[in-house]
């Protein structure tokens, strides 16, 4: 659905980004915009000028992009980080 605006190398950075996104969702805003010269659309989630999440792909139709943003926001609000199949638990305290 969506991803971090930048690649996160370490697991702890990923866990922190998820926690930050969820804590800032109530004050954040989603934006749908043209993604370039190919007439495709993408979305972003921002809070106080900080980019928190971006769409995982470009969309051919603006309405599909908007729907994907709504789905992402609804899922991100209630999402939990699950344990990895191998190795230690992701974001385990």
């Amino acid at each position: 659905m969506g991803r971090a605006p930048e690649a996160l190398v370490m697991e702890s950075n990923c866990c922190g980004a998820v926690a930050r996104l969820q804590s800032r969702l109530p004050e954040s805003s989603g934006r749908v915009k043209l993604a370039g010269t190919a007439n495709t659309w993408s979305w972003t989630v921002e809070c106080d000028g900080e980019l928190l999440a971006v769409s995982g792909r470009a969309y051919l139709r603006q309405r599909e992009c908007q729907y994907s943003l709504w789905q992402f926001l609804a899922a991100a609000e209630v999402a939990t980080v699950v344990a990895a199949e191998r190795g230690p638990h992701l974001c385990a305290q």
Side-chain angles (χ1 to χ4, degrees):
M1 284 185 169
R3 62 177 182 82
E6 298 176 355
L8 301 169
V9 182
M10 298 183 64
E11 184 177 299
S12 60
N13 294 350
C14 178
C15 297
V18 170
R20 184 166 186 75
L21 169 68
Q22 288 182 319
S23 70
R24 302 204 64 196
L25 274 178
E27 305 91 39
S28 68
S29 61
R31 299 199 172 141
V32 172
K33 59 185 180 180
L34 281 170
T37 59
N39 291 329
T40 57
W41 297 86
S42 65
W43 57 258
T44 60
V45 176
E46 301 174 21
C47 185
D48 296 329
E50 179 185 2
L51 192 57
L52 300 173
V54 297
S55 56
R57 67 178 186 93
Y59 297 87
L60 295 175
R61 293 182 178 88
Q62 182 182 12
R63 65 188 166 112
E64 291 174 339
C65 187
Q66 182 67 57
Y67 181 73
S68 175
L69 171 59
W70 291 335
Q71 283 186 308
F72 176 82
L73 291 172
E77 186 176 349
V78 296
T80 57
V81 180
V82 297
E85 289 185 26
R86 294 182 216 144
H89 294 284
L90 184 64
C91 303
Q93 297 292 330

